[in-house]
Each structure stands twice: as structure tokens, then as C-alpha cells.
Amino acid sequence: MFSGGIAGAGRRDDGSIGDPVLARLIAEQENLTRRIAAYGTQHLDTADRLALLVRDEKVTRARLGQAHVWLAELVQQRGFEETGAHNADALAQLLTIDRAAAVARLSVAAQLGNWTTLLGDVMEPELPTTAAALREGAIDAEHVKVIRKFDKNLPAAVDADTRAHAERHLADAAREVRPAELAALSERITAHIVEEGEFELPPERARKRGIFMGKQDSDGMRSGRFVLDAETAAYLDAYNSKYAAPGVGNPEDTRAPVVGAEPDVETRQRDTRTTPQRRHDALKLLLRDTLASDDLGKHRGVPVKVIIVARLEDLIRGTGLATTATGSTMPIRDVIRMGAHADHYLAVFGDDDGRPLHFGRTRRIASEDQRLVLMATDRGCTAPGCDRPAVATQAHHIHEWQDGGPTDIESLTFVCDMHHPMVHDGALGWSTTTAPPGHPYAGRTLWHPPALIDPSRTGRVNHYHHPQDYLWEDDEPAA
């Protein structure tokens, strides 16, 4: 560490800049910043305040992007060497920041700054599209963090072209989605790159799977953890989408409809269970119904059922403990409750061939068949950056129903409950259209932002549910 200033590294004692042009520009920037800060904004209307926040955010981001360039140049010119301290220590004292913050800035600058070869040629940054987007003010420092983490987490065997291609597309996507949505997209892309390149062999993945059960506690509860493969997770997600929803299978609600029926609003509001508790109860329903069937055969000569041993007097009193054939204990109250489900019924559905997909103006609600088609095409919410799956969406009329839009499959798209209210005719409203023939994503839903975000209102598509969009060169069609 060092205690003095770093004037020997090129810093003047008065903090002035020797280059006359740059000195004048910085002075103008400082003066303008003071003038803007001193300007009263109490009289502004909402539109002006919104525009002010957007414009100032872009300028702030652009200045941050340029600062990374200057820092990279300073490091390459060994500007901190005369201090006798490490770069991070020198930068921390120069800017009066923590050393950890200085280390972080140096790390970012190393990937976003320009570098000069021994021959004097200027090389583009390691993450060129990300650096350019930040200097334009189009993305935030959190977007940069996501892209840098994506690049770091890729297996070392991934070739440079694939890395560059993915970085370019993620940086472009960052212009339109929030950091959390970009993170979800980057994880999806990473999984596809790893899978396509076979960087992790299936046997290695298979060895990770498992359901690890702990011992039963004195209160009868049992904890553990699980690691599911993709197939098992898909089964569980599909089941939970219905049976772990609010109001379904709530053991504390005696007024709830039979399991399998859609709960009404009142039933959902009465459900105070947490999401993990609903998932637990949904798994219990699945296991109970499976064991209640006669499809599991026998094991060691006895039916595959929950076999319980209990004393008659305990059953009469409704207290005490019973023992299962698998060695666990169970409160008598639970045994009695299980007895209420001794009889089970199977609902048989008839042949569903021939149901039409087009309903014109005859109905507003999309049919089951139409939702199945949308599951194959949209796969989830079509709002840019949204990661909500198809089971968490509703069918939205691209041409609004109240404006004469038909309930045809070509006029429907999936939108989640969070993004659906954003589509309206107001000044801050988004609109939706279908990408026309000849568009790079023809047939997909385009979301047009309000003019405040993009004056041209250029349509945007959601790539999260279509990660293959990012895995091929621009002049090649997506799969």
C-alpha cells in the first residue's frame, strides 16, 4: 500500500488536464452538469419527467462506458507503476473507492476497453458489441455483468467464433430487456451451447440425479433434497402447473371443489399456502392417486400400497401413532384422513377428433386445440425478455377482440398476466403485430414499444423461448 498521491504517474497536483482540447471539453461537461443540477424541475409535467429520466440514464451509461476505455488505456500504458502499488490499490486511492470496487472496474475495463499492439494497431475489445452498446448508453452496468458472467461460464472448449456470435446477440438483446430477463436468456443459451457441443456427456449428467431423503424427525416430518434430470423436471413442472396452483388440492379448505376442477376466484383467495407448500401437496395428490390405482402390481407378494399397522383403540380415540410397512410412523389423524380417499374414480374422455381451430367471431375464448398450437409456436409469453412458460399465459388477440379481431389461430398469441396490461392505446402503451413474410422472424409476434422508449416503435421479438435464434450466423436460417 502507499500513502501519498500519484502525481508521479502523470497526475498534476491541481488536477488539470494538459491536452487543451480535452481540458476544454471536460470543463464544459462539468459546467453543464452543474447547470443541469441547479435547474429547478418542480414545474415539469409527467411526460417531461419521464423523458428526463430516460435521457439522463443514457448519458450516465455512456460516460461509464467511456471511462472503461480510459482506464484500459491507463493500465496498458502502465500509468500506475510509478506509485509502487498494485493497479487496484492505486485506483482505489485515486478515486476514493474501496479496493474491491477498484478490482471490479479494472476487470470490466480489461474486457470493454481498447488495446494497442506493439505495432501500434488498435484492437477491438474482448466484448466488442457489449462495449459499444454501453458507450451508446443503450445498456446498463448490470447488463454488462450478465454478459461477462455468461462468457466466463462457457466451457473453455467453446470456440472463439461461437463466443463472439453469442456475445453479439446477447448484447443486442440487452438493448431491449432488463438484466434479470437477460440473465434468464443467457442461461438458456449456455445450456444449448453445452448440449450442442457435447461438453458434458450424458453419463456425467445422469450420475448427478437423485432424491436424497433424510431421516424422519420426531414430529413425523422428513427433509431432503433432489437433483432432477431434464425429463423428470419437465414432468414435474407440467403437473405442478395445475395441481400446485392456488386453490387446488388445499387440504385445509373443506369448501374447495373436487380435485381436477378449476377453482374459482374465492377458492384461490382462501388459499394461504406458500408456493413450496402447494408443490408439496400436489406431489401428495400425485402419489395418492397413483397408489390408489391397481396398475402398480405387487412387490414381494403384496400390493404396492401404503400398508399401515394401527391399534383399534387409537383409531377410535383418533390419537396416537401408526406404523407403515416401510418403517415410518404416521399420526392416527393422518391415517383417518387417508381412509377418506379409499375410493377413486376415473374420468374417461371421448374421441376429440375434428374440433376446429378457427372460430371467427363466434367465441372470444381460445379453444384447447388453439392453445396447443400456440404451445408449439410461441412456447411461452411473447413479450421481449419474458421467461414465463405457456402454462402461465393467456391467449391474447393481436387484433383486439373489441376492435373486431377474430379468434383465429393466426390472430392469437401467448401473453402472461404481467405483460398483458402493457398493451393499450395510451402514450406509454405497447402494441402487438405479426411479423410479415420476409421478416427474419416471420410469423412471430412483434412487440412495438411506446415512442418514449423507441421513437421508431420498431417491433421486437422474444428470443427466450427460441434459443436457437442465437446459435447460427445471421445469414443462416434459425432451426
Side-chain angles (χ1 to χ4, degrees):
M1 297 294 292
F2 63 98
S3 58
I6 60 172
R11 177 183 174 187
R12 293 170 178 78
D13 292 336
D14 59 357
S16 62
I17 297 176
D19 184 288
V21 176
L22 183 58
R24 176 173 55 81
L25 292 173
I26 292 295
E28 291 175 357
Q29 175 181 275
E30 292 171 341
N31 181 53
L32 185 58
T33 300
R34 286 191 294 267
R35 289 175 58 192
I36 293 174
Y39 185 79
T41 57
Q42 295 82 359
H43 64 284
L44 297 182
D45 59 20
T46 299
D48 282 346
R49 294 184 191 279
L50 291 171
L52 176 61
L53 288 176
V54 172
R55 298 279 292 277
D56 182 68
E57 178 70 15
K58 290 182 178 180
V59 172
T60 301
R61 294 173 176 180
R63 287 200 299 263
L64 176 62
Q66 189 58 47
H68 292 316
V69 175
W70 296 334
L71 181 56
E73 293 173 346
L74 182 63
V75 171
Q76 188 173 20
Q77 294 169 4
R78 300 182 178 179
F80 292 122
E81 278 193 357
E82 294 184 23
T83 66
H86 294 295
N87 289 346
D89 296 321
L91 181 62
Q93 177 162 324
L94 176 67
L95 301 182
T96 321
I97 60 177
D98 291 332
R99 190 181 189 282
V103 170
R105 292 198 188 190
L106 289 167
S107 178
V108 176
Q111 289 188 291
L112 302 189
N114 298 321
W115 297 90
T116 306
T117 66
L118 295 176
L119 299 177
D121 298 325
V122 178
M123 300 175 59
E124 67 176 11
E126 184 178 337
L127 302 175
T129 311
T130 304
L134 183 60
R135 290 198 296 269
E136 293 173 19
I139 66 175
D140 182 64
E142 291 300 315
H143 290 108
V144 175
K145 185 184 296 185
V146 170
I147 297 174
R148 294 182 65 234
K149 180 180 178 181
F150 165 81
D151 183 72
K152 178 181 179 182
N153 288 345
L154 284 180
V158 175
D159 61 274
D161 288 343
T162 299
R163 287 177 179 273
H165 188 66
E167 184 268 336
R168 181 169 72 252
H169 280 295
L170 280 177
D172 288 340
R175 296 170 178 266
E176 302 177 357
V177 301
R178 292 171 294 178
E181 296 163 341
L182 186 69
L185 176 60
S186 70
E187 291 170 2
R188 179 66 67 90
I189 300 303
T190 300
H192 274 264
I193 290 177
V194 170
E195 183 65 29
E196 291 291 332
E198 297 182 353
F199 296 108
E200 184 181 15
L201 298 177
E204 296 175 359
R205 283 206 307 265
R207 281 195 291 269
K208 296 178 183 178
R209 78 189 189 283
I211 296 178
F212 306 92
M213 300 289 291
K215 293 183 177 180
Q216 189 175 28
D217 295 332
S218 58
D219 59 0
M221 306 296 281
R222 182 180 297 184
S223 60
R225 66 183 183 90
F226 60 81
V227 179
L228 306 181
D229 61 23
E231 181 183 358
T232 307
Y235 296 149
L236 190 60
D237 288 343
Y239 184 81
N240 282 341
S241 66
K242 177 174 182 177
Y243 291 98
V248 178
N250 186 357
E252 301 171 358
D253 190 353
T254 57
R255 294 178 291 169
V258 296
V259 175
E262 290 294 333
D264 55 27
V265 175
E266 249 184 62
T267 303
R268 291 196 295 267
Q269 290 176 342
R270 289 197 305 268
D271 194 343
T272 59
R273 296 174 298 168
T274 64
T275 299
Q277 288 170 343
R278 294 200 307 270
R279 291 172 180 163
H280 169 276
D281 294 344
L283 179 61
K284 179 164 64 175
L285 285 174
L286 175 63
L287 296 175
R288 188 187 72 195
D289 291 348
T290 302
L291 288 169
S293 71
D294 294 324
D295 299 331
L296 301 182
K298 295 183 178 182
H299 176 61
R300 294 190 175 183
V302 297
V304 180
K305 304 281 186 179
V306 178
I307 301 174
I308 302 173
V309 178
R311 297 191 307 172
L312 178 60
E313 53 264 39
D314 290 339
L315 290 172
I316 295 174
R317 277 200 323 268
T319 60
L321 290 175
T323 304
T324 69
T326 54
S328 61
T329 59
M330 179 177 297
I332 291 294
R333 287 187 297 272
D334 291 345
V335 174
I336 295 173
R337 185 164 49 248
M338 290 173 66
H341 303 285
D343 296 324
H344 300 273
Y345 300 90
L346 174 64
V348 180
F349 296 90
D351 189 1
D352 59 1
D353 290 343
R355 289 184 292 180
L357 289 176
H358 292 264
F359 291 90
R361 294 287 295 174
T362 61
R363 57 184 294 169
R364 178 173 183 173
I365 306 301
S367 71
E368 176 185 341
D369 288 337
Q370 287 173 321
R371 287 189 62 85
L372 290 173
V373 172
L374 291 178
M375 286 181 180
T377 56
D378 291 347
R379 307 180 188 178
C381 178
T382 55
C386 185
D387 62 350
R388 297 195 177 187
V391 294
T393 63
Q394 55 183 295
H396 162 69
H397 291 73
I398 296 177
H399 182 195
E400 291 291 352
W401 169 267
Q402 60 265 27
D403 296 332
T407 308
D408 290 343
I409 191 64
E410 296 86 357
S411 184
L412 296 175
T413 190
F414 274 159
V415 182
C416 69
D417 292 340
M418 182 180 72
H419 286 106
H420 196 256
M422 295 170 54
V423 182
H424 59 82
D425 296 328
L428 298 180
W430 290 63
S431 62
T432 54
T433 62
T434 301
H439 189 280
Y441 304 102
R444 299 263 286 277
T445 301
L446 298 178
W447 282 67
H448 302 269
L452 175 65
I453 297 178
D454 180 5
S456 66
R457 302 203 71 187
T458 302
R460 304 174 179 181
V461 298
N462 186 8
H463 297 290
Y464 178 82
H465 303 289
H466 304 268
Q468 70 275 9
D469 292 352
Y470 292 85
L471 303 181
W472 287 269
E473 292 297 331
D474 296 339
D475 56 351
E476 295 180 4

